[in-house]
Amino acid sequence: MDNPNNEQRAWEGRLPAMAPLANPYVPFQLENPPRYEARKGLVRGTMFPGLDLPFMGMVNKKERNVTPMTELQALGFAVQELALYLDTHRNDREALELYRTYQQMYRKLRDEYNDSCGPLNHMSPTEGERYQWLDDPWPWEFERNKEA
């Protein structure tokens, strides 16, 4: 039987003796930084130009087609991004107001989407006598949701 110390070591990570380690750097955000609008933030991967540091200078400049689904994605992204910002900047009232505005816009658009296209996910409230989550098209079927 193996030595218990060897078994315990199997769960530990190992690096070669001279392996370089990563040195992460995250810029500190000041209060009330400039922000992208939600759709641009979704494409750039951040709502904050100060954190928009493209890997190896590769910038995503593509625009998403405007559909109810892409608008929901942009608003959901903005809500999450602002929530993360507010975790460390609780006193930024302007960001809090924008966060709440985006939340309201997201809820309204989500409800409209549910009414016209069916449930966005299995957590969406549905009415009727049958389970509607499996009705087509599914939210991630982008091509089929273009017209929706």
Side-chain angles (χ1 to χ4, degrees):
M1 180 157 176
D2 284 337
N3 181 338
N5 289 336
N6 287 341
E7 187 175 321
Q8 183 178 3
R9 288 186 188 138
W11 293 99
E12 297 174 7
R14 299 266 186 235
L15 289 174
M18 300 301 284
L21 297 176
N23 294 311
Y25 172 75
V26 178
F28 182 75
Q29 286 182 279
L30 300 176
E31 292 287 324
N32 199 18
R35 289 180 279 282
Y36 291 137
E37 56 92 27
R39 282 196 351 205
K40 185 171 183 177
L42 177 65
V43 171
R44 297 306 297 255
T46 181
M47 292 288 294
F48 303 99
L51 298 180
D52 192 357
L53 305 169
F55 179 68
M56 297 180 67
M58 294 183 285
V59 177
N60 184 6
K61 295 182 180 177
K62 290 185 176 183
E63 292 292 322
R64 302 285 313 264
N65 292 333
V66 179
T67 66
M69 180 55 68
T70 59
E71 289 300 306
L72 276 169
Q73 290 172 336
L75 290 170
F77 177 80
V79 167
Q80 181 61 39
E81 189 79 344
L82 287 166
L84 292 170
Y85 170 78
L86 288 166
D87 283 346
T88 57
H89 298 80
R90 295 171 185 239
N91 296 323
D92 189 336
R93 296 288 172 219
E94 186 178 324
L96 181 59
E97 287 178 31
L98 186 59
Y99 171 74
R100 289 179 176 156
T101 299
Y102 279 143
Q103 281 182 314
Q104 291 171 349
M105 292 168 61
Y106 179 85
R107 280 192 296 268
K108 182 178 184 287
L109 191 57
R110 180 200 61 204
D111 292 345
E112 290 172 6
Y113 185 92
N114 283 339
D115 291 343
S116 65
C117 302
L120 185 61
N121 60 39
H122 70 283
M123 297 294 289
S124 298
T126 59
E127 296 180 12
E129 296 188 20
R130 63 186 198 82
Y131 184 65
Q132 297 176 9
W133 171 237
L134 298 177
D135 291 350
D136 289 331
W138 287 42
W140 53 84
E141 293 181 295
F142 179 73
E143 291 299 319
R144 295 182 67 190
N145 281 301
K146 276 186 179 177
E147 296 81 33

